[in-house]
Each structure stands twice: as structure tokens, then as C-alpha cells.
Amino acid sequence: MSISPPTPGVSAAGLGEVLALFRAQPSLTRADVMQQTGLSRSTVNQRLDALLAAQLVIPGGEGSPTGGRPASRFTFHHERGVLLVADIGATGMRTALCNLRGEVSAERERVVDVATGPQAVLGAAEEMFAALLAAAGRSADDVHGIGIDVPGPVDFDSGQVVSPPIMNGWDRYDIPGWFAGRYDCPVLVDKDVNAMAFGEHRSIYPEVRQLLMLKAGTGVGAGMIIGGEVYRGADGAAGDIGHIQVAVDDAESEPLCRCGNTGCVEAYAGGWALVRDLREAGRDVASVDDAVTLIRTGDLTAVRLARRAGRIIGHAIADSVSLFNPRVIVIGGQLARIEEQLFAGIREMVYRRSLPLATRNLQIVATKLDTRSGLVGLALLLADGIFAPDRVGALISRV
């Protein structure tokens, strides 16, 4: 994520702490800030005056009468600018314009093939961003940050995709650099399932500290929340559950995966694998959506393959449950729409293979945010990065 370096010193830290309070609560008085920070009145006045001057905080109504003059209240100026986010999948892309709280204001969707390469896909994203800005009466100067997620492994610090199995031409491509000449703002790039996990965690399960997000769509991937934060691993490769190799009893041979290995979870149970197997069985399907539609009609072969996919995915999830003991497993992606068939196999394997201590309070649920989880998660990650306490001083110095 490309963000200006933090301003050192007590002043910047104090500004960041105060702004964090306003971002987390609807409105506050000066007395509220004093009580919650322990800062003196003069220090609070200094911090608040700086935030007001930068228009990061604005007056926000009056306090409740207490027999005297009501105290003035202030609120985070979440309409001061906008965020642009793009959730890029293997076969489609959703973009959104969000306010500075990370709330989605408007969104658009387009069919894309990520394998056509970064210039074609990012060009389409840029067109959609321009349309969103125009419809909202905003300009590029109003954009405070851009968030992009992709269906492949990401080096989070550099914002580059590294050796992605299905993203031809994306390896080490400078995604932040693509937007540098168009927008003067930070650009965050992350794996799609990490964004989805963060969106579900913060919006639906904020009290849950350990959460696993499974995306079962064209491919299979996972994002992890550990201690309330996204866990990316040492190099950004954590959660690549789709490329765990498994032994399947009824398989005549190990299928070739798109990553080049054989016997991966995704090669048996990903959406593209279901399309392959259904076509081999004589069914007229051309896409994952076609496969989902066929399964939901009750086609016996399609239902059998879906339940088998659920058991194979469940095998890999069970290993994850034993490894880091999540409290909630959220399942999203196109295959989450066949909950009855897929979830049965997943639950069967997880509860059979994992220890009772790891499953006694475990919830396995479908996504609540559905197709918006990536957009929501990206916007929240982006807002947290831009307004991180140690970055606020640098942000104000640019105003």
C-alpha cells in the first residue's frame, strides 16, 4: 500500500488518537475527548483545532441540555472525499464509490476475463471509476484512496501479484503505478479473499477475533482473520487452501490443476472443475453460473458432484480448523448459492475430522454480504490505512 510516511512525534500520534475516536463514534464533545483520552483541555483544543482546520472533523450538532448551555458536538467528516474500490474476480469485476467511513455509496458490475491481462482489466476498472465519479459529481481530486483486490497471491507491501496461477501477464505488474498518473492518492492491493474476510468480520462479526472466509467460485481460496486483523503470512501467501493437495478415494487419477500441480482441492472442487466434470458427463454448461443453475434444478449428476466438492473442500477446511481454531467460517462465492448441497459435505468433513474442542462453538455460515463482501472489505481496509493514527500527521501536512 503506497502511503506517505508517518509524521514522527507526539503531536502526530495525538492527532491520530483523537481522529480514531471520531471515526469510531457518531459524534463527540470536547469533554468526551478529554474523558476518553485523558488529555488536558488545552491539548484537546489544540488537536481538535488541527482536525477542524483540515476538515477531517466538522461540527455535528449540539449536546443534550444539562441545565446550562449545551456542549458543541463534532463528527468525522466522512463526506470530505471518496474512496474507489474494485473487486476483481476471475470472470467479473465489481467497482464502488465509497465515503471515508468505507460505506458503499454506488457500485457497478462488468464481465471481465482476468486472464486478458492487467492493462485490459485495469483499463476497464478506470472506466468504471470515471463513470462512478461523474455520476456522483466528484472529480479525481476528491479521491482519497483506491483499493484493488485480485484472485491471486499478493505481496501486500509492494501491491504486486506474485506468480498467480490464472492471471496471465500480472506477475509483478505495478498495479499502484497504473493509477499513479491518474490519482494522487494511496493505492491498496490485496487478495480478494482477504478483503472478503475483513468485510464480513467488521460488518457482520466484529466481536469474532478468529474467522475463516472461504471463497468457492471459479477457484477456491481462503482469507483469515486472526486477533481481529487480516493474517497474510510472512509473504502474503497465507490462505491458499485451493492448492492443498488431497487424496480422493473415488478418483481414477489426480486431475491437473491450473497451478501446474495435480490433485489440488481446486482441481476437484473449484467451479471450473465442476464445469469440466459436468461437460464430460454430457451436460450443456459453459460457466460456473450454468453449473450452479443446473445443480439447483436437482440434476442428479450435478448434485452428486456438488456434494462431492463439499466433502473435498471440507477436508481442507478441517485441517485449517485444527490449525488455527476459528470461531466462524463464512462461505462465499458463486458456489455458496448451492448451500444445501455444498454445505452438507463441508460440515460432514469438518465435524468428522476436527477435534470436539475446535468445533464445539464453531459456526459454518453463508456470507451475509454476498457479492459485496469484497467491496466492503476493501473500503474498510483502505480507510483504516489512510487514517491510521501514525499517518494522520502526514495527511494533515498535505492539506
Side-chain angles (χ1 to χ4, degrees), residues 7-19 47 389-393:
T7 299
V10 175
S11 177
L15 286 170
E17 292 169 358
V18 173
L19 182 62
R47 302 289 190 265
D390 62 349
R391 305 281 179 182
V392 172

Side-chain angles (χ1 to χ4, degrees), residues 65 67 72-73 82 106 116 122 126 132 139 146 172 193 220 233 270 327 352 394:
S72 297
R73 304 190 70 85
V82 297
T116 58
L122 295 177
E126 167 57 21
L132 285 165
S139 72
I146 292 173
R172 303 289 178 180
V193 196
V220 178
R327 180 53 42 88
R352 179 197 298 177

Side-chain angles (χ1 to χ4, degrees), residues 28-97:
L28 296 167
T29 65
R30 295 176 193 268
D32 292 333
V33 177
M34 291 170 57
Q35 181 181 19
Q36 295 184 37
T37 63
L39 297 173
S40 67
R41 178 177 294 277
S42 62
T43 302
V44 168
N45 287 339
Q46 180 187 41
R47 302 289 190 265
L48 190 54
D49 287 346
L51 294 172
L52 286 164
Q55 295 186 22
L56 290 170
V57 169
I58 56 175
E62 300 294 328
S64 300
T66 57
R69 182 179 178 181
S72 297
R73 304 190 70 85
F74 304 90
T75 186
F76 175 56
H77 190 189
H78 61 278
E79 299 295 346
R80 178 180 185 266
V82 297
L83 308 175
L84 293 172
V85 295
D87 176 24
I88 301 172
T91 57
M93 173 168 55
R94 300 177 70 88
T95 59
L97 182 140

Side-chain angles (χ1 to χ4, degrees), residues 170-364:
W170 289 80
D171 186 32
R172 303 289 178 180
Y173 188 83
D174 185 10
I175 298 175
W178 169 272
F179 295 98
R182 299 164 173 80
Y183 300 94
D184 182 22
C185 67
V187 179
L188 175 149
V189 184
D190 208 344
K191 186 172 70 171
D192 56 356
V193 196
N194 288 342
M196 294 170 70
F198 197 68
E200 294 283 342
H201 162 61
R202 282 279 291 272
S203 300
I204 309 299
Y205 305 100
E207 76 289 349
V208 172
R209 307 294 291 169
Q210 327 297 337
L211 178 146
L212 176 71
M213 179 82 209
L214 179 87
K215 181 182 180 182
T218 302
V220 178
M224 293 182 285
I225 301 294
I226 297 181
E229 301 293 336
V230 176
Y231 179 75
R232 298 181 177 88
D235 299 299
D240 207 355
I241 198 171
H243 298 289
I244 293 175
Q245 293 173 302
V246 294
V248 178
D249 293 338
D250 63 357
E252 296 180 2
S253 62
E254 293 186 341
L256 178 66
C257 186
R258 298 180 300 177
C259 71
N261 291 325
T262 59
C264 295
V265 168
E266 183 177 304
Y268 286 108
W272 66 268
L274 283 176
V275 171
R276 175 201 63 204
D277 293 344
L278 286 168
R279 294 182 72 174
E280 289 179 358
R283 302 303 188 270
D284 182 19
V285 295
S287 67
V288 178
D289 286 338
D290 290 344
V292 168
T293 299
L294 185 62
I295 292 164
R296 295 179 73 176
T297 65
D299 178 275
L300 293 179
T301 297
V303 169
R304 176 181 60 80
L305 288 171
R307 288 177 175 167
R308 177 177 181 263
R311 289 192 294 273
I312 293 168
I313 293 171
H315 186 289
I317 292 177
D319 291 343
S320 300
V321 169
S322 297
L323 186 64
F324 90 100
N325 186 203
R327 180 53 42 88
V328 176
I329 296 173
V330 182
I331 301 175
Q334 291 151 292
L335 299 188
R337 300 204 300 268
I338 52 170
E339 181 175 350
E340 179 182 349
Q341 296 83 3
L342 190 75
F343 284 38
I346 290 175
R347 291 190 174 102
E348 174 190 342
M349 296 303 292
V350 168
Y351 288 105
R352 179 197 298 177
R353 291 176 53 83
S354 302
L355 292 173
L357 181 60
T359 57
R360 65 178 182 178
N361 295 311
L362 178 65
Q363 300 177 57
I364 302 176

